Amino acid sequence: KFIEITEPILDYQARDLGLQWLKQWDFDYLWQWDCDELGEYNQIINAINWIKRNNLYSFYRINYKNYFGRLEDKTYVTDFSPVRIINNRHFGGIDKMRFDNDVFFQNGNSTPNCAGITIPRSIISPIHPSWVFKNKDEAVNKIKYQQLALPGSVCSYVWDEKEDRLKLNVDGYYNKLGIPVPEVYKDEKIE
């Protein structure tokens, strides 16, 4: 059934439209895979097998290699581990999207308030190049989008005018929120 959208909707509302369509099938898990996430087939199979052995959780987080800056910088952090897989057999099943990748279950419970686990990096660790840019304007626009899309949000990245590059927003994000500053890695394998 085609749904006509005549007014702007938020990201999670768009995701919910897809979820409502999917609910016509009796699925065990909802795995949200964004178009800017790059994984390997064997990692996906390993994650599925790991979940089968650890199936008591309501949701699963995935650790990403979160690349940022210019492609030639080859820099990434490993502190990005969002909810990506949700168990549709808990709490009466998934009802609707709550926010970003979180859901409400049929009984009113939501993913932030139930048992979840992060799948070990040795099992799956996809590449997430969402913060890689060709120029300053692209980076600054993404920062503005993050702040508008996530009300009250402070972006974890900032454009450094002096160094003309994207950097971690150490003072305005990590220190302000009391989150440990992640180590920045350099990947020589990426071309």
Side-chain angles (χ1 to χ4, degrees):
K1 179 178 168 182
F2 181 75
I3 300 172
E4 182 178 349
I5 305 297
T6 58
E7 298 291 324
I9 60 176
L10 297 172
D11 181 67
Y12 82 90
Q13 293 169 318
R15 291 174 191 255
D16 191 58
L17 290 173
L19 169 63
Q20 297 310 315
W21 179 78
L22 286 173
K23 285 170 53 175
Q24 66 186 302
W25 291 282
D26 187 29
F27 59 91
D28 293 327
Y29 293 90
L30 172 66
W31 187 327
Q32 301 172 80
W33 193 281
D34 289 350
C35 64
D36 62 354
E37 298 168 0
L38 310 170
E40 296 178 13
Y41 176 80
N42 65 328
Q43 287 187 354
I44 294 168
I45 297 302
N46 290 343
I48 291 169
N49 290 331
W50 188 88
I51 289 169
K52 286 179 181 178
R53 293 187 307 273
N54 298 276
N55 62 0
L56 299 177
Y57 296 95
S58 297
F59 67 89
Y60 300 83
R61 295 180 179 277
I62 295 178
N63 281 299
Y64 289 86
K65 289 174 79 172
N66 201 31
Y67 284 83
F68 70 96
R70 292 183 176 94
L71 184 59
E72 61 268 19
D73 294 343
K74 303 176 186 178
T75 54
Y76 69 93
V77 291
T78 59
D79 69 326
F80 183 60
S81 55
V83 172
R84 282 296 187 256
I85 303 167
I86 301 164
N87 192 330
N88 193 41
R89 299 293 179 227
H90 283 203
F91 307 115
I94 300 168
D95 181 31
K96 61 185 175 183
M97 298 304 294
R98 177 183 171 273
F99 176 77
D100 202 20
N101 295 314
D102 289 318
V103 302
F104 281 112
F105 291 97
Q106 293 292 335
N107 74 346
N109 205 351
S110 61
T111 45
N113 301 315
C114 49
I117 191 169
T118 302
I119 300 173
R121 187 172 302 286
S122 61
I123 302 294
I124 187 167
S125 183
I127 292 173
H128 185 250
S130 177
W131 286 95
V132 173
F133 303 100
K134 294 177 185 170
N135 61 55
K136 172 188 173 180
D137 290 340
E138 290 177 357
V140 170
N141 286 338
K142 172 93 180 211
I143 291 167
K144 288 178 184 175
Y145 169 79
Q146 282 291 117
Q147 293 167 334
L148 291 172
L150 306 171
S153 177
V154 179
C155 187
S156 59
Y157 296 98
V158 64
W159 187 265
D160 186 313
E161 293 290 343
K162 288 181 194 174
E163 296 183 28
D164 191 38
R165 69 182 182 100
L166 191 68
K167 291 174 55 174
L168 296 176
N169 187 359
V170 174
D171 290 330
Y173 180 80
Y174 292 98
N175 291 344
K176 181 178 181 179
L177 299 176
I179 299 170
V181 178
E183 185 173 342
V184 176
Y185 299 94
K186 189 167 181 84
D187 193 341
E188 298 301 330
K189 298 177 199 171
I190 299 295
E191 296 181 18

